[in-house]
Amino acid sequence: MLLAEVDEGWLNRRYYGGDLPAEAERSLHLAAASFGNDIEALCHLARADELAPGHRLVDLGHYKFHFYKHNLPAALEYGERLVRHALAGLGVNHGDWSAVTPAHADFTALDHAPRFFLFALLAVGYLQLRLGRVEEARAALGTVCSLDPADRFGAKRLLDLADRRAHLQADHGDAEDEP
């Protein structure tokens, strides 16, 4: 989408439910519309961050931008921020995602907070796997699998891949291949 093709109604829509300042949300929409121009998109993301520093939706915008641009280290940084936001949403204040259990929330339901936690931790596990951090990936993906026994998020397949990669590394040394 070209920025010139975007109408004011689209830019001013309140997609995120109202807890994000309107101008910050507009900056996120402008970043999306400018996706093909990295410098311009990053300027809009920076503006959103100025207007709503540390807001989960601004961090989500950064995560998506970096993920789709294949800037995996930066995407991981923002993914880890999303996990911290998700932990706060669950009422977990110690910041240790590995200590989250089914006692913290009903992870089988459709409630936003548990789903957001599973999504964010799955994203972190996937990125760690792509970056060759197999043990960290296995830990994150294993937690998702334990909280999502029906595997609605598809973490089991990624965990199996991480396990195979760990076995290959153990058998042949640290391989540089991506999954």
Side-chain angles (χ1 to χ4, degrees):
M1 172 183 329
L2 296 174
L3 194 53
E5 298 173 356
V6 177
D7 67 43
E8 285 298 311
W10 186 84
L11 287 174
N12 292 322
R13 76 192 194 286
R14 297 295 297 188
Y15 181 76
Y16 294 118
D19 76 331
L20 181 64
E23 192 59 33
E25 187 165 352
R26 179 183 172 88
S27 292
L28 290 179
H29 298 319
L30 285 165
S34 303
F35 183 77
N37 181 331
D38 290 0
I39 293 170
E40 191 171 333
L42 287 168
C43 285
H44 291 301
L45 288 170
R47 178 70 178 142
D49 206 26
E50 288 173 15
L51 295 165
H55 195 284
R56 72 188 183 290
L57 295 171
V58 174
D59 286 344
L60 179 61
H62 281 277
Y63 165 79
K64 288 180 176 182
F65 175 82
H66 290 291
F67 180 83
Y68 290 115
K69 291 292 185 173
H70 305 284
N71 182 355
L72 302 185
L76 178 59
E77 176 186 332
Y78 284 101
E80 289 169 342
R81 288 184 188 190
L82 293 175
V83 169
R84 288 192 294 275
H85 289 298
L87 286 168
L90 293 174
V92 176
N93 297 320
H94 52 69
D96 181 7
W97 56 259
S98 67
V100 174
T101 69
H104 288 97
D106 181 2
F107 291 94
T108 63
L110 296 176
D111 295 335
H112 173 74
R115 279 191 358 250
F116 183 55
F117 175 76
L118 292 172
F119 161 77
L121 192 55
L122 178 73
V124 164
Y126 172 78
L127 289 166
Q128 289 170 328
L129 185 58
R130 290 286 312 270
L131 290 167
R133 301 173 187 170
V134 178
E135 289 307 312
E136 294 93 336
R138 290 173 72 201
L141 296 168
T143 297
V144 174
C145 285
S146 71
L147 297 172
D148 179 26
D151 199 31
R152 294 173 304 145
F153 285 76
K156 177 77 171 96
R157 183 177 56 111
L158 291 172
L159 182 59
D160 290 345
L161 183 61
D163 288 343
R164 284 194 307 273
R165 184 157 182 196
H167 291 299
L168 284 173
Q169 286 179 349
D171 292 343
H172 303 290
D174 288 338
E176 293 293 324
D177 301 330
E178 286 192 10

